[in-house]
């Protein structure tokens, strides 16, 4: 079903230099689904000025925050805000210089947001410039941990922040995002190639294995990524989830029990590169404002954790809306006064779907989106949709079979794995391949599911259970 | 539709917790969601969802059964007047057919849905749509002269014993509609076997044409009366006696097209089941120990309920194999056993029902071995460190 890019790689001792990458082999993903939504961001980058930022501990799976600041403290970009109680070497640092405005807590005093008001002065903590090629792994991790860029490196299985002491068998960077309305990474990384290469250099010192840079085979704009050194370049073609790193790992170097793979997003590689180039935590990030309810969808240059108020002010429709940090498949719901998530480079705005629809299940539905062929819209493959958050039905037992398999490009039985998770059969979960998957890999299954089961929640439960069991 | 919505919103509290009609909550909910798709929005995971739900899925299955039902209604009338030696034209035949078939459908839905609603209320969940399909399938697999009370008992049996005891829709092991038929078959064999029950009014033979036989093609075949088997044209279009919905292969194939195009019925099961039936027929042809074994595969498939069972019963996703590979095996064995049982069973000349029920029981086992193969490959990969597994 697919070809693995046969790479003739000759690692010279510990220095990862690859002689030649075979460009002709493309890994084709056949199963999947592209959901075409209205509201793709136009390729313009605007500067966004806001003085409101927040870091949200809830963005980090399995992290129990231990606060290192209190309200009123003055911080610089790179000053630690909190750490993880279970792994105190991992620091979460401020993206801007300014004052801690508020520490927002939720039920049981859980820390939800550490809010910072920027002073606009761009004061930075200095961590020192360095050439990562000349540093040992320990020196690199130390720098990354201290500056707060380490949390950008995550691991599979479980999608938690990588453990710096682990020995990952490979590091994966998916250079393209295939999710609905996702930002064009080649557009975003353009002009940051020096930092991107530096970031890759640092990553290649963190593993004895290979650093994989996975490109979209169809995208002429992948050119930006073609010439990076020290990595293995793989090409993927096909519908979403071809851009999901989980799918790419599965096709290139699948995870077996007790193995760990690290992964990052392209913009985060740039951030790591900047750390080594400038010696500072420069949290600048380009965010795509997308979705059917956005009047003028464009890209914004801002910083990690920016308040969304200034993005959306005067640029969204008047209907009742949902703001999503991320894409419509895997993003998090935030309020209109919320903040962009730590890992997000996209903000999506769609209509809320809290309406009753008279005989909605029986009418032809000329505007309805469905993967099934039970609505006439299946005849128009390129139709763009204005979708809302209505579930379109009630929760039911899992009746239909063979549907998930059509959008799930893993050699894993999705339904059987889900049922193993539901009954908490740890042994079966492991046998059926839970280490290879993540919530986001099941997002399309969840979208097309007739029974309206919250599948990503089930998968998360399974992964959490597994992690607890294995630790 | 605003007045209707307003009316429902006004009544809703009465059916909620502590309301006057709390005990009818599930019933109210079923009717409300029938009229209006709920206003519920996504709370976790993907923010957008497919427009399809179980109601739409099931309504397409019912739509797929419509050609078979409509033809069945006409054919009931046609066969009846044929037995009387009359030919009063199209509409009288349809009226007669409606008079026979509609009460069976009504009883099936009232009895079956009644049991469903009671269970949903007791167990405190929403009413599942599964019975909308079962309730239509049951009349289609019944002989036209079946007493209505038997239909009611069979439907309640199917819902209570066949489905709810296993945990409701989605959990049942056996196809409920087939179970209803099997129940009648074993509990009241006189009403579902023989040559007189397939034609309306024939069990009370008044005014029947001399020497008229109500025998189905299958019972003729079992009796070795090969010359009495109708020609291909009659078999295909269904101008023959039989259960209400099974006679017209043409109408059933129309339904199959609806199921396959919408992707709601598994084409793999339909195709593999046909393959299984043809294989068994060919094997029989090879031995040809009696007249029944000599029947060519095409005629075998055109007789009896083979096609109906294959298209509407074997494809039931709950009771079929769930894996792609498993579906091929499951379907093939249904076709294979259906013809085998049909030919070998001395007591009854049809085997589709029993073959499907048998394979319903084995479907989980088939899946077990299919999934086990995947597990073994994954284990092997972990041990040898070789490259990725092939796709399923």
């Amino acid at each position: 079903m697919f070809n693995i890019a046969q790479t003739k790689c000759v690692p010279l001792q510990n220095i990862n230099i690859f002689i030649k990458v075979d460009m002709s082999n493309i890994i084709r993903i056949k199963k999947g689904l592209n959901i075409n939504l209205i509201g793709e961001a136009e390729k313009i980058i605007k500067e966004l000025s806001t003085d409101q930022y927040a870091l949200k501990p809830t963005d980090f799976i399995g992290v129990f925050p231990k606060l290192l600041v209190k309200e009123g403290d003055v911080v610089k970009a790179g000053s630690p805000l909190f750490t993880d109680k279970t792994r105190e070497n991992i620091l979460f640092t401020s993206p801007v210089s300014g004052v801690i405005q508020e520490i927002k807590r939720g039920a049981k005093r859980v820390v939800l947001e550490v809010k910072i008001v920027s002073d606009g002065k761009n004061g930075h903590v200095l961590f020192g410039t360095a050439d990562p090629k000349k540093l040992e792994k320990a020196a690199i991790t130390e720098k990354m941990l201290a500056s707060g860029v380490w949390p950008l490196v995550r691991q599979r299985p479980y999608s938690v922040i990588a453990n710096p002491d682990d020995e990952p068998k490979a590091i994966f960077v998916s250079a393209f995002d295939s999710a609905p309305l996702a930002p064009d990474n080649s557009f975003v990384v353009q002009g940051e190639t020096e930092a991107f290469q530096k970031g890759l250099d640092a990553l290649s010192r963190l593993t004895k294995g290979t650093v994989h840079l996975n490109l979209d085979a169809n995208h002429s704009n992948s050119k930006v990524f073609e010439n990076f050194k020290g990595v293995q370049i793989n090409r993927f073609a096909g519908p979403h989830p071809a851009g999901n790193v989980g799918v790419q790992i599965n096709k290139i170097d699948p995870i077996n029990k007790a193995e760990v793979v690290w992964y990052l997003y392209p913009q985060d590689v740039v951030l790591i590169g900047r750390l080594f180039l400038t010696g500072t935590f420069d949290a600048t990030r380009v965010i795509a404002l997308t979705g059917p309810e956005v009047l003028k969808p464009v890209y914004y240059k801002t910083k990690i954790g920016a308040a969304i108020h200034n993005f959306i002010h005067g640029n969204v429709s008047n209907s009742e809306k949902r703001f999503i940090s991320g894409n419509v498949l895997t993003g998090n719901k935030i309020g209109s006064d919320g903040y962009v998530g730590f890992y997000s480079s996209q903000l999506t705005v769609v209509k809320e779907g809290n309406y009753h629809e008279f005989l909605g299940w029986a009418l032809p539905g000329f505007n309805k989106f469905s993967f099934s062929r039970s609505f006439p819209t299946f005849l128009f493959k390129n139709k763009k949709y204005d979708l809302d958050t209505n579930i379109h039905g009630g929760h039911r037992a899992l009746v239909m079979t063979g549907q998930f398999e059509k959008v799930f490009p893993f050699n894993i039985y999705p339904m059987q794995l889900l049922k193993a998770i539901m009954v908490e059969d740890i042994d079966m979960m492991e046998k059926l391949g839970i280490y290879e998957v993540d919530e986001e890999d099941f997002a399309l299954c969840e979208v097309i599911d007739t029974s309206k089961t919250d599948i990503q929640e089930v998968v998360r439960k399974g992964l959490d259970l597994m992690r607890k069991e294995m630790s | 539709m605003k007045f209707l919505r307003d009316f429902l919103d006004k009544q809703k509290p009465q059916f909620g917790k502590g309301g006057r009609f709390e005990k009818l909550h599930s019933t109210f909910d079923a009717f409300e969601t029938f009229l209006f798709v709920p206003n519920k929005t996504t709370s976790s995971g993907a923010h957008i969802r497919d427009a399809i739900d179980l109601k739409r899925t099931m309504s397409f299955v019912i739509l797929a059964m419509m050609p078979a039902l409509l033809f069945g209604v006409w054919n009931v009338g046609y066969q009846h007047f044929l037995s009387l030696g009359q030919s009063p034209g199209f509409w009288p035949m349809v009226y007669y057919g409606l008079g026979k078939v509609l009460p069976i459908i009504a009883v099936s839905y009232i009895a079956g849905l009644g049991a469903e609603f009671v269970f949903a209320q007791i167990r405190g969940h929403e009413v599942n749509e599964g019975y909308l399909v079962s309730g239509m399938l049951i009349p289609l697999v019944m002989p036209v002269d079946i007493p209505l009370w038997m239909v009611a008992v069979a439907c309640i049996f199917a819902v209570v014993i066949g489905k709810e005891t296993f945990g409701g829709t989605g959990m049942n092991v056996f196809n409920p509609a087939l179970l209803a038929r099997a129940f009648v078959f074993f509990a009241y064999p006189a009403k579902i076997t023989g040559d007189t029950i397939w034609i309306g009014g024939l069990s009370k033979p008044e005014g029947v044409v001399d020497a008229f036989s109500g025998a189905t093609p299958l019972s003729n075949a079992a009796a070795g009366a090969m010359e009495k088997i109708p020609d291909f044209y009659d078999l295909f279009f269904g101008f023959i006696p039989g259960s209400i919905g099974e006679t017209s292969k043409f109408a059933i194939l129309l339904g199959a097209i609806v199921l396959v195009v919408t992707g709601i019925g598994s084409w793999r099961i339909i195709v593999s089941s046909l393959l299984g039936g043809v294989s068994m027929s060919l094997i029989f042809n090879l031995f040809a120990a009696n007249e029944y074994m000599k029947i060519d595969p095409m005629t075998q498939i055109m007789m009896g309920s083979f096609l109906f069972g294959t298209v509407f019963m074997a494809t039931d996703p709950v009771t079929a194999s769930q894996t792609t590979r498993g579906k091929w095996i499951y379907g093939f064995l249904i076709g294979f056993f259906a013809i085998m049982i049909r030919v070998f069973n001395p007591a009854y000349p049809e085997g589709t029902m029993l073959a499907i029920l048998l394979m319903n029981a084995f479907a989980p086992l088939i899946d077990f071995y299919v999934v086990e193969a995947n597990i073994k490959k994954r284990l092997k990969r972990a041990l040898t460190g070789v490259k990725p597994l092939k796709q399923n």
Side-chain angles (χ1 to χ4, degrees), chain A residues 359 370-371 373 411 446 452, chain B residues 34-35 46 50 52 261 389:
Chain A
L359 291 181
S370 181
F371 178 64
R373 291 180 295 258
N411 42 5
E446 184 173 64
K452 312 293 175 187
Chain B
F34 178 85
L35 286 170
D50 201 302
I52 197 167
V261 167
L389 314 179

Side-chain angles (χ1 to χ4, degrees), chain B residues 302-351:
Chain B
M302 286 296 140
M303 289 195 301
S305 58
F306 186 91
L307 211 56
F308 188 90
T310 294
V311 171
F312 293 115
M313 307 283 208
T315 52
D316 169 15
V318 175
T319 53
S321 276
Q322 302 189 349
T323 57
T324 305
R325 203 166 294 170
K327 279 175 181 153
W328 283 107
I329 301 170
Y330 168 83
F332 185 87
L333 290 178
I334 284 179
F336 196 82
F337 284 128
I339 302 294
M340 185 195 281
I341 296 170
R342 171 188 282 188
V343 172
F344 283 157
N345 187 354
Y348 195 70
E350 177 56 304

Side-chain angles (χ1 to χ4, degrees), chain A residues 256 322 328 331 357 359 361 363 369-371 373-375 389 391 396 411 431 436 446-447 452 457, chain B residues 5 34-35 37 40 42 44 46-47 50-52 56 126 129 169 261 327 374 378 381 388-389 391:
Chain A
N256 298 306
R322 175 172 299 189
V328 288
E357 193 186 1
L359 291 181
W361 57 275
L363 298 173
F369 163 77
S370 181
F371 178 64
R373 291 180 295 258
S374 67
F375 289 87
T389 61
I391 290 184
R396 293 291 181 269
N411 42 5
K431 281 178 173 172
E436 299 172 53
E446 184 173 64
V447 170
K452 312 293 175 187
E457 201 174 282
Chain B
R5 185 65 246 165
F34 178 85
L35 286 170
V37 173
K40 223 188 271 171
T42 50
S44 84
H47 298 268
D50 201 302
I52 197 167
R56 192 168 183 91
E126 292 184 45
E129 288 81 4
T169 300
V261 167
K327 279 175 181 153
N374 179 273
R378 184 166 293 106
R381 184 189 74 195
L389 314 179
Q391 283 274 356

Side-chain angles (χ1 to χ4, degrees), chain A residues 381-417:
Chain A
K381 287 277 177 257
N382 294 319
K383 185 178 162 61
K384 290 195 172 176
Y385 294 90
D386 172 7
L387 300 182
D388 56 52
T389 61
N390 192 288
I391 290 184
H392 302 296
H395 291 286
R396 293 291 181 269
L398 292 161
V399 167
M400 299 304 286
T401 62
Q403 316 253 320
F404 298 163
E405 285 83 349
K406 293 179 192 166
V407 294
F408 190 72
F410 291 81
N411 42 5
I412 286 171
Y413 285 101
M415 180 75 97
Q416 282 69 20
L417 178 55

